Amino acid sequence: MVPSARSRTALTLYTTADDIQCHRARLVLAAKGVSYERVLVDPGKPPEDLLDLNPYGSTPTLVDRDLTLYDASVVCEYLDERYPHPPLMPIDPLSRARLRVAAVRIEKDWLAEVDTIRAGGRSAEPARKRLRAHLLAALPLFKAAKFFLNPEMSLADCLVAPVVWRLPWLGVDLGREGKPIVDYGERLFHSQGFARSMTEQEKAMRP
């Protein structure tokens, strides 16, 4: 019998197996080195305890004792403040604001195309071209620092890296022009935290 969310004492994350926003939250937890209970959810059949906690039944949903949070941005910023080491946001307000705006752009532009590609059909190929164009347009941001817009790993990387990881699986080839993005990905993919963040389905996206 699976314990209800209300009776859980450990930090619990409700997550689907291959969603970018869920991967984003898992990557934050891995970067922090935080132990937690991972509950895999079938998006077509969310469990009753999740629906009891989150009226939308959406993932990721984080449960920390009596606190329940949903929306990936809310979950990730809470985790960064709840577990401050290592910090995943810069100290100065200007840099923090830039990273937040970048995350909004990625959610609205990149993730929308990912959803269209995954849906298949005639719209998938144009979406691949648009996603490739979005990524190449962001090349200066990948070149600006070791990580995305920042000298240290940040919450922005926890969103960007899962997208870059999925590119071959999505059928998006960046070509030679996109080498800085590929190199950026490789720096993150070989970290222990990235490996811990993945589900078996995500690991299978690349040979």
Side-chain angles (χ1 to χ4, degrees):
M1 181 177 177
V2 178
S4 72
R6 298 295 184 188
S7 67
R8 297 181 193 275
T9 56
L11 188 70
T12 303
L13 183 73
Y14 289 83
T15 172
T16 53
D18 62 358
D19 177 71
I20 288 174
Q21 294 283 27
C22 289
H23 194 173
R24 174 187 184 184
R26 285 185 263 111
L27 188 50
V28 172
L29 285 160
K32 297 288 185 178
V34 176
S35 297
Y36 68 101
E37 183 177 355
R38 183 186 295 184
V39 180
L40 285 176
V41 173
D42 178 348
K45 296 179 180 179
E48 289 186 10
D49 58 338
L50 175 58
L51 293 171
D52 182 47
L53 291 161
N54 174 353
Y56 307 104
S58 60
T59 53
T61 291
L62 182 77
V63 181
D64 189 2
R65 296 184 182 273
D66 293 330
L67 177 67
T68 300
L69 299 173
Y70 35 90
D71 183 89
S73 296
V74 173
V75 168
C76 292
E77 293 215 12
Y78 169 77
L79 289 170
D80 191 43
E81 294 174 358
R82 174 77 169 78
Y83 303 97
H85 302 290
L88 293 178
M89 284 293 272
I91 296 174
D92 65 291
L94 180 61
S95 296
R96 294 168 74 92
R98 283 175 174 164
L99 288 177
R100 288 191 177 106
V101 170
V104 171
R105 290 287 304 273
I106 291 166
E107 288 181 303
K108 290 183 178 295
D109 297 342
W110 301 9
L111 299 196
E113 305 298 358
V114 170
D115 289 342
T116 303
I117 295 168
R118 295 193 63 176
R122 293 182 179 180
S123 300
E125 191 55 35
R128 289 187 181 94
K129 293 178 181 178
R130 290 192 299 267
L131 179 56
R132 182 179 188 274
H134 285 313
L135 285 158
L136 294 180
L139 272 173
L141 306 183
F142 287 96
K143 293 178 179 179
K146 182 179 179 181
F147 295 95
F148 193 79
L149 272 177
N150 205 51
E152 304 293 337
M153 184 176 174
S154 74
L155 291 181
D157 296 291
C158 294
L159 175 57
V160 173
V163 176
V164 176
W165 174 261
R166 286 162 169 76
L167 292 179
W169 181 68
L170 294 168
V172 177
D173 183 359
L174 298 177
R176 291 184 180 180
E177 190 179 356
K179 189 175 185 301
I181 299 173
V182 174
D183 291 344
Y184 158 88
E186 291 302 316
R187 287 196 295 273
L188 284 168
F189 301 159
H190 287 95
S191 69
Q192 291 183 349
F194 193 85
R196 288 197 303 270
S197 75
M198 288 192 290
T199 63
E200 292 303 317
Q201 289 88 336
E202 288 164 341
K203 292 175 184 178
M205 290 176 179
R206 290 195 177 209

